[in-house]
Structure formats: C-alpha cells, structure tokens
Amino acid sequence: MLRKLATLALLSGTYLAAAQQPAQAPPKVKVNVLNVCSPSTEEQQQIASALGKIPKQPVFNQDFEVDRGQSSLEESPDFLQPGSGTHGSPDSGLATWVRVRREFGVQALFSTVQYSFSVDSKSMVETVVFHVRDPKDLLEVSIEDSASAVTGAEAMLEANTPANHIKLARFGKPSVVLARCSAPEGAPPMDQSAYEPLFRSASEVLANYRHVLEARRLIPEELARIVPPHSPEAKPASKLRKPVRPQK
C-alpha cells in the first residue's frame, strides 16, 4: 500500500512539474525584404564600389569554357532566369542558352567571369557574372539586361541593350539589388533618375565584356548549332545493328 502511494505521489509531482514549465515559443523567422527599386545610400555606394573594381582591360589566362544547350524553364540551370528566351523552339517551356566562362589572371580581384545568353519564346536575357577570388564580404557581381524575343539575338547584341538589373551577392548577408521598376497600372511613373549613374556604369561594363568575350560573333554561331528536338533537321537516333559476319 505504501509503495502504491509513493508511486502515485511521484507521478503527481512529475505532472505538476511538467504543467508548470512554460510552453516553448515557436522559432522566430527572419524575413529580409529587398528594396530593389530604391536602394539606400549605403547600398548605392556598395554597388558603385563593386562596379568600379571590375577590370576594364581584363587579362585572361588560357583556360576557357563554351557551353550551349536547351533546358526546361521549370528545371533550368542557375544562370538562366525565369522568362529568358528560345531560339526557334516550338515549345514555349524550353530555353536555349549559350554560356561562356573565362578565368582572370591571378592578380585580379575576380577569379572568373561567366557570360550567358538565353532565349525562349517570349524574351531574351543576357547576364554577366563576376566571381570574387577570395570572398570575404562580396561573393559575386551580376549584371543583366533583357529584351523581347521578337528582335532576335543578333539585333539585341548589336543594339548594346542597357542593363536593367544589378546584384551584389554577399557572404552571410542579404544581397544588394538595383532593378528597373515600372509603376503599377494607374500610378504615376516611378522616379529612378537618382540611380541612372549606376545603371549607366553597369551598362558600360556589360558592353565592354560583350566585346571582350566576342559575344556578337560567338552567341549567334552557337545558337545556330542547337537543333530544336521537333525540328525537321533533328536526326533520329541510329538503331543498333548486329555485326555482319564475314562469309567463308
């Protein structure tokens, strides 16, 4: 009897102790909202500083890479942005792309530059990304422009399309972004005149590397080599045949 009373007392004490413990608060979720249309003065200075560090007359080593392909927009590579454009593909869910990568000399702040051009049925996107060699705060700088796919890749490259998106990816911190923004329907036009020097500087960098990497010649040539899967030019896969035995 005493053993049962002791057991009941122990269970009651455990229940009371558990009831007195405060309920654990749900984990806090931190959400970073990027003001891409009107960055702060400090963020503008960071963008200007990063753009100013990109070499105007780059010295590359002998290593380079040229890739081309066709990807689904749902599972596109990281360097393809949703809504980038296609080259003659009847499937609007496909993006055709060309990517060029060059390595800077060891003395440069940046290790590599990666230029990509992608097209789908609606638009074309041109992106250049500079990767920092020894990232401490800044990881990479990316500059992007876009245009309607109606014009064609050659026309877009010849027109020196201005940059409309600048992004600084940082280590352990939110990215710093500046983008061209349009006002909602019925609202007055958005004034981004204060950021024109940054857009102009980014456009100059993009135009310079478009020239240095010979994009005007290389991109149309590489895009022309990509045969859409439903094109009449696409050859069916060859069937395996049994080897013919020599006659005795």
Side-chain angles (χ1 to χ4, degrees), residues 97-118:
W97 51 267
V98 177
R99 180 181 62 195
V100 182
R101 184 184 63 85
R102 292 299 304 265
E103 295 187 3
F104 291 101
V106 293
Q107 77 279 6
L109 170 66
F110 300 93
S111 58
T112 62
V113 55
Q114 179 175 287
Y115 172 95
S116 64
F117 191 98
S118 63

Side-chain angles (χ1 to χ4, degrees), residues 61-100:
N61 60 23
Q62 296 180 350
D63 297 339
F64 70 95
E65 176 183 325
V66 178
D67 294 331
R68 64 179 182 272
Q70 198 169 52
S71 304
S72 169
L73 293 179
E74 296 179 356
E75 300 178 358
S76 57
D78 293 339
F79 61 88
L80 289 182
Q81 300 294 328
S84 27
T86 143
H87 185 73
S89 173
D91 189 347
S92 60
L94 293 177
T96 303
W97 51 267
V98 177
R99 180 181 62 195
V100 182

Side-chain angles (χ1 to χ4, degrees), residues 3 115 130:
R3 181 178 298 177
Y115 172 95
F130 301 88

